[in-house]
Every structure is written in C-alpha cells, then in structure tokens.
Amino acid sequence: RDAQRLAESMTMKWATLEQPKGGGKAVLALPAPLDAEARNGLLRRYGAIVESLRGTFGTGEDLGTTPEDMALLASVTRYVHGVEGSRVTDPGPFTARGVLRGIEAAVRAVLDRDDLRGLAVLVQGVGDVGYPLAAELAELGARLLVSDVDAGRIARAVDTLGATVVPTDEAWDAECDVFAPCAIGGVLSAATIPRLKCRIVAGSANAQLETAEDERRLQERGIVYVPDYVVNSGGAYAFALHGRGEHDHETLLAQMDHVGDIVAAVLAEATAEGRSPLEAAARRAQRTLASGSGTAS
C-alpha cells in the first residue's frame, strides 16, 4: 500500500514540476532489522532488479536509505539518481530548501506575512530533510519547535539550533503557525487532525494524508494543507537539473525558489476557483499528464 501511494505521489510530483517523466517508487519491506551484511546483500539484489529494467526506472535516496547506500547501488546499476562517479549528491538539502520556500509562500497567502520572524514552526522529524529545514527556519527568525523519536537528532537540534522540544505524542497538540511533517507518511488522520493547533501544514513527508477524506477534515478546521508532492519536490527537481549537467550546490539550491513559485500558484488557483489546494495541485498535474509532454501551463 505504501509503495502504491508513493508511486502515485511521485507521478504527481513530476507532473506538478512539468517534467517529462513518469513516476514510480520502490519500497523494500523488511520482516525485521538487518545486520550490515544482510542489508548490503538486499541492496545489491534490489540494484540488480533496477538494472534489469534498463533505464525505465531510476532509484534514489529516500526514507531509510543513505548516500552510502546509493554508492553501493551504483556499483550494481547505472540507474541511480544523484551519483556521478564517486560523488553522491544528497537530495535532503534541496528538498529542505524547497519546503522552506513553500512555507514562505503559504505564510504569504494564508497569514499575509512576508517573513517568518516570530512565527512558530513545528518540524516533525529532524533527519536528512527536517534538520536542514529547521536550521534555515531558525536562521530566518522562526520560533522553532521539533519532535523526533531519535534522541540524538533531538539533542542536535537543541544544541545547535536552540529548538524547543515537543514530545512525539504531543506534537499534534502543540500550538504553532505551521506544522511541518518531515518523517513518515499517513500522519494526518481522523485521529490527529482534530488535535492540530496550526493554520498551515507544509512538510517534506510523502503521502501525509492517511485517507482522501483527511484534506476535507483539515479544511473544516480552517487549516491549509500544502500538498506534499508539491512542497517536497525540491529533491526531485534538483536531480532533474543534475541530469541536465548542473552540479553546483549553490546554483541548485537557488533553483529551489521554483518550488515556492509552484506552491504560490497552486494556492492562488485554489482561492480563485474555490477549490482545495489538493484539488488545484491535482488539476495542474493532470494538465501536464494530459499533454504528454511536461510543458503544460
């Protein structure tokens, strides 16, 4: 179920970016934790499957994997995003910058604010994407709240960013302006939405809504949901640019402004047409898919 949801989300992500690519996702379902040798063996077998598809599917770093894993996969298959020789590009910082730009666009549209200074942002999950996002939020003067099941990650956010810790089981109840889910998916549900105390949801986690009805639940509470496949598209966009020969880190980061522009356009279309942001984003994606080109307006 997770793989199917993520594959659909990836299709919509590429289409929202107006890129001429299809979408797919791989999930390796483990019955139990693996030791290093077994884990590497599993990745090699997965790499062989990717190679057998001869370029119709490319894989990349995501939840549960690392740049080192991508280097290992690249020793088995040619079709790994972000690997150039011995150099492995981590998509995390680019996804984080795109989420930041998306949050800024949502704050302008919903709160009529041109900056984040003093606004409370709760980052749920301060890992490969959540931590660089939190760092940029803190630098821009946001009041930073963090929640994570990993004590080491929490300690890093507190020590280096001065973040305020919210226990994981209380994240839904924390008063904030923006809730940014940056860990697992399915966190917005009939059980959690009534507890939220925010105006905006915008984060990097994939498939954040547990069911299709959950966006309606958010709307009924006056909470604006920025569709995950829109706001978290920075890593994918960076890899698209990477594939066209752009490897400079700062140049790629600057290109993530495009994600903010898309979020702004989706929210504006939703307001103008009386639709939800998810409906507006889906219409944008469907225009691209219908064109078959990636050049839809």
Side-chain angles (χ1 to χ4, degrees):
R1 179 172 176 267
D2 200 30
Q4 290 174 329
R5 294 180 71 200
L6 291 170
E8 180 182 11
S9 178
M10 201 70 210
T11 299
M12 300 298 278
K13 185 179 301 188
W14 284 123
T16 301
L17 287 167
E18 300 179 347
Q19 298 295 308
K21 297 179 181 292
K25 205 74 170 179
V27 173
L28 307 186
L30 308 182
L34 302 178
D35 62 28
E37 183 178 356
R39 190 173 188 279
N40 289 345
L42 175 64
L43 288 171
R44 289 191 181 94
R45 294 198 300 278
Y46 168 58
I49 293 171
V50 172
E51 181 65 21
S52 75
L53 298 175
R54 293 188 264 181
T56 56
F57 176 80
T59 195
E61 186 184 349
D62 209 323
L63 185 68
T65 58
T66 67
E68 291 74 23
D69 293 333
M70 297 305 105
L72 187 153
L73 285 170
S75 71
V76 181
T77 176
R78 294 163 285 176
Y79 307 113
V80 183
H81 296 302
V83 177
E84 194 81 17
S86 61
R87 178 182 176 183
V88 180
T89 299
D90 180 1
F94 306 112
T95 303
R97 177 62 65 84
V99 173
L100 176 69
R101 295 294 180 246
I103 288 174
E104 290 174 327
V107 164
R108 283 193 296 272
V110 178
L111 304 180
D112 196 25
R113 285 278 303 269
D114 289 326
D115 64 85
L116 304 181
R117 190 163 299 281
L119 293 181
V121 183
L122 171 56
V123 180
Q124 183 190 46
V126 280
D128 193 50
V129 175
Y131 181 78
L133 171 63
E136 295 213 59
L137 288 166
E139 186 175 348
L140 291 175
R143 184 162 61 86
L144 183 62
L145 311 175
V146 297
S147 183
D148 200 303
V149 297
D150 188 310
R153 290 177 177 176
I154 285 292
R156 179 175 64 163
V158 171
D159 293 344
T160 62
L161 305 177
T164 298
V165 180
V166 177
T168 55
D169 58 351
E170 298 176 17
W172 322 108
D173 307 304
E175 292 191 13
C176 57
D177 298 289
V178 181
F179 175 55
C182 294
I184 60 172
V187 296
L188 301 172
S189 67
T192 61
I193 290 170
R195 296 169 59 184
L196 290 176
K197 297 178 180 177
C198 61
R199 290 290 311 283
I200 298 165
V201 173
S204 67
N206 286 309
Q208 294 169 23
L209 301 176
E210 187 175 64
T211 69
E213 291 75 33
D214 290 317
E215 194 204 18
R216 174 184 54 77
R217 294 187 177 100
L218 288 166
Q219 279 187 292
E220 290 173 351
R221 296 215 50 225
I223 298 172
V224 174
Y225 171 63
V226 181
D228 47 66
Y229 62 78
V230 178
V231 74
N232 71 9
S233 61
Y237 187 48
F239 280 159
L241 298 172
H242 194 275
R244 297 173 198 159
E246 182 55 72
H247 297 143
D248 180 72
H249 184 82
E250 293 303 319
T251 300
L252 288 171
L253 279 177
Q255 291 296 316
M256 297 306 104
D257 290 359
H258 183 50
V259 177
D261 294 340
I262 295 174
V263 170
V266 165
L267 294 179
E269 181 173 328
T271 299
E273 298 187 1
R275 300 177 181 274
S276 72
L278 192 60
E279 289 174 318
R283 280 170 56 86
R284 178 187 176 95
Q286 290 299 334
R287 289 196 294 267
T288 301
L289 294 171
S291 75
S293 66
T295 57
S297 60

